[in-house]
Amino acid sequence: MATDAQQACFEAGIKFGSLYHQFAGTPVSPSSTRSLEAAMAESIENQPHCEAVDVTIHDDRVADAIDHENGYTELTGSLMDVEMRIEYEGITARTRMAMADGYPLMELVEVVDDAGPSPADETDPNA
Amino acid sequence: MATDAQQACFEAGIKFGSLYHQFAGTPVSPSSTRSLEAAMAESIENQPHCEAVDVTIHDDRVADAIDHENGYTELTGSLMDVEMRIEYEGITARTRMAMADGYPLMELVEVVDDAGPSPADETDPNA
Amino acid sequence: MATDAQQACFEAGIKFGSLYHQFAGTPVSPSSTRSLEAAMAESIENQPHCEAVDVTIHDDRVADAIDHENGYTELTGSLMDVEMRIEYEGITARTRMAMADGYPLMELVEVVDDAGPSPADETDPNA
Amino acid sequence: MATDAQQACFEAGIKFGSLYHQFAGTPVSPSSTRSLEAAMAESIENQPHCEAVDVTIHDDRVADAIDHENGYTELTGSLMDVEMRIEYEGITARTRMAMADGYPLMELVEVVDDAGPSPADETDPNA
C-alpha cells in the first residue's frame, strides 16, 4: 500500500519520537553531555533501518538552563541538535531536529531514492 | 522537498515512537489499564496532526505477565494494540501496532489523499 | 541492617523517582490533565508498599507553559503537586513534591510508627 | 521530623526510581551496552547527594533477550546490576539492584553514620 519512500519516512519518524521520549527528562550537566550523546546515538542506531544518529548536546545551553543550586537540568529538545539517516529498501531519509522559533522542530530534510530519480519515481512524480 | 504524503508518514512515525517510549515501563495491573489507556491516547493526541489515538491494553495479557508476588508488571508492546490516524495537508495516514511473530510491529496501514487519487498523485505514481 | 523506618523512606523515594521519570516529558494540555493525573496515580499505586498517590496537574500552569502554536507542553515538576503515602511494616511515610524557589522539591513530610510513638524513638530505639 | 538517616534513604530511593524509569525501555544490544552504562551512571550522579553510581549491563543477558531478527532488545531490570552510594549530612546509604527470584529487587544494603556508630544508634534522636 504505502510506498517505500513513505515507509522510510514512517521509520524515520519512529526513531525521532523514540529518541526524544526515551531520553527527555534525563538529568544532565556539562560534565555528562558526552556520555549521554553517545548513549542516545548508539541506542537508537539499534532500531531497524537506522543507519546513523548524531546527537549534539550544547554544553553552553545546558549551563544556561541550570537555574538552581543542584547543578544540573533535565534534557529537553532545546538543548540539543539531532540528525539521523534512515535507509529503507533503497530509499534514504535524512531528518534533523533543531530550534525553530523557540520550539524544537523535527523535520524531514530529504528523501532520496539511492538508485537516483526516474521519470516515474514515486518520491517526485513530476520531476 | 518531501511530499505531503511523506510528511504525513513522518508525523505518524513520530507519534508512534513517542507513545511507545514515553509509556513503556509504566507499572500496570488489570486495575490500572483503563486509566493508562486514556492517558496514553489523550497525551499523544496533543501532538500536531494527530487526530485520533486508540490504545487497548489487554487485561488478560497483563495478568499473564504478572510473574511475581507484587501484583503488577511493566508496560511493553506485547501487552497492547494501538491505532492512530494522522492528518497532514489533506493526507490521512493510518497506523497500528500489533503483535507479529512475538514482536510488536508498528506499521503503516494506509496513506490516502483525502481529495482522492489522481493520475499524477505522488502517493501512487503508477496508479 | 536498615530499620523499618529507613526502609519505608527508601520505598517512598523509589516511588517518587519512578513517577517523575516515567511521566516527565509527556505531552500535556489543559484537555488532557485529568486522564494523566489518574494514570500517574494508579500506575504508581501498583508498586509495593504504595498505599496512596495524589497527583494534581495545574491547568493554569499548563496553559501558561504552552508557548508555541501547537497547543501543548511537556510535563515537568513545575506543573504539578504530588502527595504519596507509603506503608512499610507498620511505618507510614508521607511525601510530597511542590515548588520551592522555582525548583520542584521532593520531600519527606513525616515518618510515623503506626503503633504510636514510644518514649524511646520509634525508628529503632534499642538497636 | 525525619532523621538524617531516613532522609538519606529517601534520597537513595529517588535515585533508584529515577534511573530505572528514565532508562527502562531503551533499545540495547551488546554493541551499545558500554555507552548506556556510562550515560546512566553519569546522569544519575548529577542528582543531589548521589556520590557514585555503578551500572553493569550484562552482555550475555542482552544477547539472550534478543528474540527477534532486529538484533536488539529493550532495557529492563533483569539485564543489569546497579549499585549506588548516597551521602546525606554525614550518613552514607548504599543500595543495589540485583535479581531475586526472577524479579529485579532494589534494596538498601547499609546505612551508616560516617562519624561511626555510637553506643546509641545514629538513627536514635535521643542518643
Side-chain angles (χ1 to χ4, degrees):
Chain A
M1 231 90 65
T3 66
D4 286 345
Q6 291 167 359
Q7 290 281 7
C9 294
F10 181 59
E11 292 291 336
I14 290 173
K15 275 64 180 170
F16 244 125
S18 297
L19 179 141
Y20 195 87
H21 286 275
Q22 182 63 58
F23 293 102
T26 301
V28 65
S29 68
S31 68
S32 68
T33 45
R34 295 297 86 76
S35 62
L36 186 52
E37 288 171 346
M40 293 173 73
E42 290 190 14
S43 72
I44 301 301
E45 286 173 349
N46 284 315
Q47 293 190 328
H49 313 297
C50 189
E51 292 304 307
V53 178
D54 188 66
V55 177
T56 302
I57 303 174
H58 297 279
D59 289 8
D60 56 340
R61 296 188 203 167
V62 170
D64 287 348
I66 296 174
D67 58 358
H68 58 77
E69 290 179 3
N70 288 325
Y72 71 98
T73 189
E74 295 173 11
L75 187 69
T76 68
S78 63
L79 302 177
M80 60 181 167
D81 296 327
V82 180
E83 296 189 355
M84 290 195 202
R85 179 164 53 84
I86 272 63
E87 303 276 355
Y88 183 90
E89 298 289 328
I91 306 287
T92 297
R94 294 180 191 275
T95 64
R96 73 173 165 223
M97 184 176 69
M99 297 301 288
D101 295 325
Y103 175 68
L105 186 67
M106 299 178 191
E107 60 185 349
L108 272 175
V109 178
E110 65 174 9
V111 183
V112 295
D113 187 328
D114 300 344
S118 65
D121 181 352
E122 79 270 22
T123 65
D124 192 3
N126 303 314
Chain B
M1 232 88 64
T3 66
D4 285 346
Q6 291 167 359
Q7 290 281 6
C9 295
F10 181 60
E11 293 291 336
I14 290 173
K15 276 64 182 169
F16 245 125
S18 297
L19 178 141
Y20 195 87
H21 286 274
Q22 183 62 57
F23 293 102
T26 301
V28 65
S29 68
S31 68
S32 69
T33 46
R34 296 296 88 73
S35 63
L36 185 53
E37 287 171 348
M40 292 173 75
E42 291 191 13
S43 73
I44 301 301
E45 285 174 349
N46 284 315
Q47 293 190 327
H49 314 297
C50 189
E51 291 306 306
V53 178
D54 188 65
V55 177
T56 303
I57 303 174
H58 296 280
D59 290 7
D60 55 340
R61 295 188 203 167
V62 170
D64 288 348
I66 296 174
D67 57 358
H68 58 78
E69 290 180 4
N70 289 323
Y72 71 98
T73 189
E74 297 173 11
L75 187 69
T76 67
S78 62
L79 302 177
M80 61 182 166
D81 296 327
V82 180
E83 296 189 356
M84 291 194 202
R85 180 164 52 85
I86 272 63
E87 302 277 356
Y88 183 89
E89 299 288 329
I91 306 288
T92 297
R94 294 180 192 276
T95 64
R96 72 172 165 222
M97 184 176 69
M99 296 302 288
D101 294 326
Y103 175 67
L105 186 67
M106 300 179 191
E107 60 186 348
L108 272 174
V109 177
E110 65 173 10
V111 183
V112 295
D113 188 329
D114 299 345
S118 65
D121 181 352
E122 78 271 20
T123 65
D124 193 3
N126 303 314
Chain C
M1 231 89 65
T3 67
D4 285 346
Q6 290 167 0
Q7 290 281 7
C9 294
F10 181 60
E11 292 292 336
I14 290 173
K15 276 64 180 170
F16 245 125
S18 297
L19 179 140
Y20 195 87
H21 286 275
Q22 182 63 59
F23 293 102
T26 300
V28 65
S29 68
S31 69
S32 68
T33 46
R34 296 295 87 75
S35 63
L36 185 53
E37 287 171 347
M40 293 173 73
E42 291 191 14
S43 73
I44 300 300
E45 286 173 350
N46 285 315
Q47 293 190 328
H49 314 295
C50 189
E51 292 305 307
V53 178
D54 188 66
V55 178
T56 303
I57 303 174
H58 297 279
D59 289 8
D60 55 341
R61 295 187 203 167
V62 170
D64 288 348
I66 296 174
D67 59 358
H68 57 78
E69 289 180 4
N70 288 325
Y72 72 100
T73 188
E74 296 173 11
L75 187 69
T76 68
S78 62
L79 302 177
M80 59 180 168
D81 297 328
V82 180
E83 297 189 355
M84 290 195 202
R85 180 164 52 85
I86 273 61
E87 303 277 357
Y88 183 89
E89 298 290 330
I91 305 289
T92 297
R94 293 180 192 278
T95 63
R96 74 172 163 224
M97 185 177 68
M99 296 302 288
D101 295 326
Y103 175 68
L105 186 67
M106 299 178 191
E107 58 185 350
L108 272 175
V109 177
E110 65 175 7
V111 183
V112 296
D113 188 328
D114 299 345
S118 62
D121 180 76
E122 75 272 17
T123 61
D124 194 2
N126 303 312
Chain D
M1 229 90 63
T3 66
D4 285 346
Q6 291 167 359
Q7 290 281 6
C9 294
F10 182 60
E11 293 292 335
I14 291 173
K15 276 63 180 170
F16 244 125
S18 298
L19 179 141
Y20 195 86
H21 286 274
Q22 183 62 58
F23 293 102
T26 301
V28 64
S29 68
S31 68
S32 69
T33 46
R34 296 296 87 75
S35 63
L36 186 53
E37 288 172 346
M40 293 173 74
E42 292 191 14
S43 73
I44 300 301
E45 286 173 349
N46 284 315
Q47 292 191 327
H49 314 296
C50 190
E51 291 305 307
V53 178
D54 188 66
V55 178
T56 302
I57 303 174
H58 297 280
D59 289 8
D60 55 341
R61 296 188 203 166
V62 170
D64 287 349
I66 296 174
D67 59 357
H68 58 77
E69 291 180 2
N70 288 325
Y72 72 99
T73 188
E74 295 174 10
L75 188 68
T76 68
S78 63
L79 302 178
M80 59 181 168
D81 296 327
V82 180
E83 297 188 356
M84 290 195 202
R85 181 165 51 85
I86 272 60
E87 303 277 357
Y88 183 89
E89 297 290 327
I91 305 289
T92 298
R94 294 180 192 277
T95 63
R96 73 173 164 223
M97 184 176 69
M99 295 303 287
D101 294 327
Y103 175 66
L105 186 67
M106 300 178 191
E107 59 185 350
L108 272 175
V109 177
E110 65 174 9
V111 184
V112 296
D113 188 328
D114 300 345
S118 63
D121 180 82
E122 79 271 14
T123 64
D124 188 344
N126 301 316

